[in-house]
Amino acid sequence: MITINTEKGLVKVESWEDVESLPGFVKNLNPTNQKLDAIIGRYIFKEKINCGLSNCHTPHAKGFIVKTIDGASTNIGKDCGKTYFGVDFETLSNKFDRDITESENRDKLWSFSFKIDEIQDAIHNLRCSEYGANWIYKKSRYLVTLGADCPNEIVKQILSMGKNRSSGLFKPREATDFEIEALSNSQNRQISKPHFIEEKIADISGLDALYPENDLKNILVIDLEENFKTFISKDIDQLSFEDLKYWSKWIGTVETSLQKANDSIQAGRNLLTQSNLKPFLTLLTKNEDKLIFRRFLEGLTNQT
Ligand SMILES: [Zn+2]
């Protein structure tokens, strides 16, 4: 890849012949008594190109195209640049690299800006479709908020399963005489009665919808929608180097965030079905709580 600074700004050219046809270009420049005027290009290639200085000619895959005050231009690597043109070369090559980064980031933001409508439609669909993100977020809050619409025993259990990232729903029950005997034998000590064991009663799917990194409000509203609002209000042509860097990095995360939101919605749909959450009923002892939770289940889908 070759980037050349022209009157029209930085342009990319494909072939090395374009460089050799630049006015004043020489393949064999004697650096003695030459002074650097400007850096006019940069290149990165797979195949190496010989340094244009007459006393060097080391092959480089990466280098700069420089112009001297006498009007001659040639290609050199970073080391020759520093050796023959000193601090000026370092300052100018750093600036040239920075200008290229700036211009590439600006181009990236411009091409991204043409896709904004499409992405915003996609976000709207993810949020507002039937059993979409808005529905999932609202329903799932009840499962993780103490004192809201679900009995606290269930909320505590779900929070603990989420914290341990474990899908198994366990309930304590009194061990049978036979189990106590087996346990006493295996542990070589007398287990006294009553003894409780944790029994797995179900595997709950979709709990990952409740993990903090899959939080649909964070992904779709706080990250995507808010950043889109800010991004749209910016004039890309006026953005500073730092802002261009920030936004280029952010647009690089948009695709992944959408995928994450999709996965979280899928998990949320698996979680919020009557059959998936029904086993929690067995944790409840009070009839009043059972009634409340049944009512909550009725508001979910009944897919299996
Ligand atoms: Zn050289």
Side-chain angles (χ1 to χ4, degrees), residues 51 56 60 80:
C51 175
C56 177
H60 298 296
C80 272

Short mmCIF file of all heavy atoms in Angstrom, two decimals, residues 51 56 60 80, ligand 1:
data_model
loop_
_atom_site.label_atom_id
_atom_site.label_comp_id
_atom_site.label_asym_id
_atom_site.label_seq_id
_atom_site.Cartn_x
_atom_site.Cartn_y
_atom_site.Cartn_z
N CYS A 51 16.34 0.67 -0.71
CA CYS A 51 16.48 2.05 -0.27
C CYS A 51 17.09 2.85 -1.43
O CYS A 51 17.96 2.38 -2.15
CB CYS A 51 17.40 2.08 0.95
SG CYS A 51 17.80 3.72 1.55
N CYS A 56 23.36 3.07 0.39
CA CYS A 56 22.63 2.12 1.25
C CYS A 56 22.02 0.97 0.44
O CYS A 56 22.53 -0.13 0.44
CB CYS A 56 21.56 2.85 2.05
SG CYS A 56 20.56 1.76 3.05
N HIS A 60 13.76 -2.73 1.93
CA HIS A 60 12.80 -2.50 3.02
C HIS A 60 11.40 -2.89 2.57
O HIS A 60 11.04 -2.66 1.44
CB HIS A 60 12.65 -1.00 3.33
CG HIS A 60 13.89 -0.34 3.79
ND1 HIS A 60 14.51 -0.68 4.96
CD2 HIS A 60 14.62 0.67 3.25
CE1 HIS A 60 15.56 0.09 5.10
NE2 HIS A 60 15.66 0.90 4.09
N CYS A 80 17.59 5.14 7.75
CA CYS A 80 18.32 6.08 6.89
C CYS A 80 17.78 7.48 7.07
O CYS A 80 18.54 8.45 7.08
CB CYS A 80 18.18 5.68 5.43
SG CYS A 80 19.44 4.52 4.93
ZN ZN B 1 18.76 3.13 3.45
#
